[in-house]
Amino acid sequence: MSLPHAILTALLEKPSSGLELTRRFDRSIGYFWSATHQQIYRELGKLEEAGHIRALPSDRPARGQKKEYEVLPAGRAELTAWVGRTEDPKPIRDALLLRMRAAAVVGTEGLEAELRRHLALHEGQLAEYEDIEKRHFPPERDTVEDRLRHVVLRGGIDLERFWIEWVRAALRELAALPTTPG
């Protein structure tokens, strides 16, 4: 249910075409809520059908031209209501955690390399988030919108730090395991 709300949020921030939304998802919202190009276009159609968004009128003929969408009052009302709803946290579904559990019964072959790969990915993502923080959130940017967006980014930074420490601990634990004869 959250993809339509992510799209409404992005469109309220800036009316956009489907292609522009896809690009914006890749650069911001996609860090915590990913969607494919097809999912975004499918959801745009549903939101338009529900009366939550509309394609902006254009001066040029519609054939082959990208539509730019804006949020209608019903869409804003839906997003406002959604923000205030209660929702339980979702359980973590991470294949690496399952691999660790599986290694307990089938052995650890290949696990160290996968852990090191994940460590590098998390370190890279952390560096990217910290770069975004430096570029987009200097202390003088103190609007309500900036502060809330920064809190979201800080959540991403903290999660990456958690995963880095967890993977390092898993690597230490793996290194300390007794070797079993093959």
Side-chain angles (χ1 to χ4, degrees):
M1 186 63 176
S2 296
L3 179 57
H5 299 103
I7 291 171
L8 288 170
T9 299
L11 289 175
L12 279 169
E13 290 173 343
K14 180 183 177 214
S16 304
S17 68
L19 181 59
E20 290 166 338
L21 275 174
T22 301
R23 289 179 182 151
R24 288 175 56 212
F25 262 69
D26 289 344
R27 291 188 320 261
S28 61
I29 290 174
Y31 286 121
F32 55 90
W33 197 268
S34 63
T36 66
H37 186 79
Q38 292 89 352
Q39 289 172 316
I40 289 172
Y41 273 95
R42 193 171 34 248
E43 211 54 57
L44 283 169
K46 291 177 185 176
L47 287 167
E48 191 171 25
E49 190 176 297
H52 291 165
I53 65 171
R54 73 175 178 127
L56 291 169
S58 174
D59 298 334
R60 292 180 264 151
R63 186 172 175 86
Q65 177 188 328
K66 58 184 177 180
K67 291 183 190 178
E68 191 167 276
Y69 295 92
E70 71 175 352
V71 177
L72 296 171
R76 181 180 282 277
E78 168 56 30
L79 188 60
T80 300
W82 180 76
V83 166
R85 284 188 202 128
T86 60
E87 189 172 323
D88 293 339
K90 301 288 184 245
I92 294 175
R93 266 183 82 178
D94 191 293
L96 183 60
L97 298 175
L98 186 55
R99 280 188 180 96
M100 292 291 292
R101 182 72 183 252
V105 292
V106 299
T108 61
E109 187 175 330
L111 187 58
E112 181 181 356
E114 182 64 356
L115 285 167
R116 291 194 184 287
R117 189 178 76 80
H118 275 256
L119 179 59
L121 290 170
H122 286 294
E123 288 171 338
Q125 190 64 64
L126 176 60
E128 187 172 341
Y129 285 164
E130 289 174 336
D131 183 57
I132 290 169
E133 184 176 43
K134 284 180 203 155
R135 285 185 289 122
H136 296 287
F137 296 102
E140 61 272 11
R141 286 192 68 177
D142 199 31
T143 66
V144 170
E145 294 86 356
D146 284 334
R147 289 173 69 181
L148 291 175
R149 288 179 185 126
H150 193 196
V151 166
V152 173
L153 178 61
R154 290 295 316 166
I157 289 169
D158 291 346
L159 281 171
E160 292 306 324
R161 287 182 176 154
F162 161 79
W163 281 112
I164 289 167
E165 288 309 309
W166 183 88
V167 172
R168 286 177 179 161
L171 283 165
R172 286 190 301 273
E173 192 65 36
L174 193 61
L177 293 176
T179 57
T180 55

